[in-house]
Amino acid sequence: MNKSTRQTIFENAKQWVLEAGENIRERMKSEFQVDTKSNPNDLVTEVDKETEKYFASKIRSTYKDHLIIGEEGYGDKVESLDGTVWIIDPIDGTMNFVHQKRNFAISIGIIHNGIAEISLIYNVMDDVLYTALKGEGAYRNDTKLSKLKDDVQLATSIFALNSILACENKKVNEKKIQQLIIDSRGTRGYGSAALELAYVAEGIIDGYITMNLAPWDFAAGYLLIEEVGGKVIQANGDRVNFLENNTIIACNHMVVDELLNKYIELK
């Protein structure tokens, strides 16, 4: 994707994200329906569906040859990353959206021929937009994010992780995760993977660890972190796959080897 094309797509995506955010804030003033999907804690609302439908309509009317991967059923059946693919989570952190009315985000990653080219993560209630274009750095609103620090050590690092990782987990050695909690400075859980990845890019946390994350949860955060010199890989060290669920280790580049070698042991 050439720079001019990328910039035009980005400007359209940014406008649509901000419009969608405004629509969400308006919808929150009235009651909305809440349903469950795979389990009682896997929530979806009519606002999630309306927002994804809005993006799908905008994309298809403007870019007829682009494809969409979406969480709420308005996407395409995408089997390869040839061409341009939009990977969309209309509301990442739906449980926060329902219970807290904050700490959720719109997340969009745009992939072209398998390469992450554009990222947008919008913290709707705080009106903070994280963006990245490949090779041009990452931004928090209009402020360019600095490269991640080179002097970070695991003992002084803060990690975001799902609480289930410290309990019985089918994929990971939970005892080693418990040791990571002890050996690091602290752990956090924000309830929105997109925001947690954005916070890694911003440098306010040093890593995010999860054993099961869908493409719409990590596609936007991937490029943000890459653009500031961080790492986003699978828990076995492999590259991420934007077409399927992944284990995700996203962190400052100074602690990735120690994490993989000492604390992340897959069963």
Side-chain angles (χ1 to χ4, degrees):
M1 182 182 292
N2 64 51
K3 186 173 181 179
S4 175
T5 298
R6 183 170 59 224
Q7 186 65 39
T8 299
I9 294 173
F10 168 73
E11 293 296 340
N12 283 331
K14 180 180 177 180
Q15 178 183 341
W16 299 337
V17 164
L18 294 177
E19 288 176 357
E22 180 60 30
N23 290 338
I24 290 170
R25 288 190 291 268
E26 284 298 314
R27 288 288 279 113
M28 290 176 71
K29 296 177 182 178
S30 57
E31 291 186 4
F32 50 80
Q33 182 176 339
V34 180
D35 297 310
T36 61
K37 294 189 286 187
S38 62
N39 62 69
N41 294 325
D42 187 9
L43 304 182
V44 62
T45 74
E46 57 187 311
V47 185
D48 294 74
K49 296 175 183 178
E50 290 168 3
T51 304
E52 184 168 300
K53 186 177 181 181
Y54 166 81
F55 283 122
S57 175
K58 290 291 188 180
I59 294 163
R60 290 184 174 125
S61 64
T62 308
Y63 303 107
K64 299 187 185 302
D65 59 337
H66 290 194
L67 296 176
I68 300 166
I69 297 174
E71 182 175 11
E72 308 305 344
Y74 294 95
D76 303 296
K77 185 177 181 180
V78 179
E79 297 180 342
S80 84
L81 295 173
D82 295 339
T84 302
V85 180
W86 296 59
I87 305 180
I88 300 171
D89 193 339
I91 297 180
D92 182 74
T94 301
M95 188 177 293
N96 290 349
F97 172 67
V98 171
H99 287 274
Q100 301 176 358
K101 305 296 188 289
R102 61 187 317 104
N103 297 323
F104 62 88
I106 298 170
S107 179
I108 296 181
I110 302 175
I111 315 297
H112 181 71
N113 290 336
I115 304 298
E117 294 275 356
I118 299 168
S119 292
L120 305 99
I121 296 175
Y122 186 40
N123 184 334
V124 174
M125 300 310 292
D126 289 348
D127 192 24
V128 173
L129 179 63
Y130 296 91
T131 60
L133 284 78
K134 183 172 177 57
E136 299 182 38
Y139 288 79
R140 182 188 189 276
N141 291 333
D142 295 326
T143 301
K144 189 172 185 178
L145 297 179
S146 300
K147 291 288 185 179
L148 296 182
K149 295 178 180 179
D150 292 330
D151 59 352
V152 170
Q153 298 179 357
L154 189 138
T156 57
S157 294
I158 295 177
F159 293 94
L161 66 160
N162 297 335
S163 59
I164 194 172
L165 288 178
C167 307
E168 184 178 356
N169 186 284
K170 293 180 180 180
K171 289 186 177 181
V172 69
N173 185 327
E174 65 273 9
K175 296 298 184 183
K176 291 197 172 186
I177 293 295
Q178 290 169 0
Q179 192 61 48
L180 172 63
I181 294 171
I182 294 169
D183 292 348
S184 64
R185 176 160 282 173
T187 58
R188 300 289 184 269
Y190 296 95
S192 165
L195 290 179
E196 287 164 320
L197 293 167
Y199 296 159
V200 173
E202 193 175 355
I204 59 177
I205 60 174
D206 301 292
Y208 171 59
I209 304 169
T210 182
M211 291 298 112
N212 188 30
L213 206 61
W216 46 78
D217 293 317
F218 68 80
Y222 176 88
L223 182 60
L224 279 174
I225 293 171
E226 289 275 302
E227 284 295 309
V228 295
K231 295 286 186 182
V232 183
I233 55 177
Q234 295 193 61
N236 61 3
D238 289 350
R239 295 181 62 182
V240 301
N241 185 335
F242 291 108
L243 292 177
E244 62 186 32
N245 284 20
N246 289 233
T247 59
I248 292 290
I249 308 295
C251 60
N252 183 294
H253 61 287
M254 295 299 294
V255 298
V256 62
D257 289 338
E258 189 172 2
L259 275 177
L260 292 178
N261 295 333
K262 189 174 179 180
Y263 298 101
I264 308 299
E265 180 182 308
L266 302 182
K267 294 180 179 179

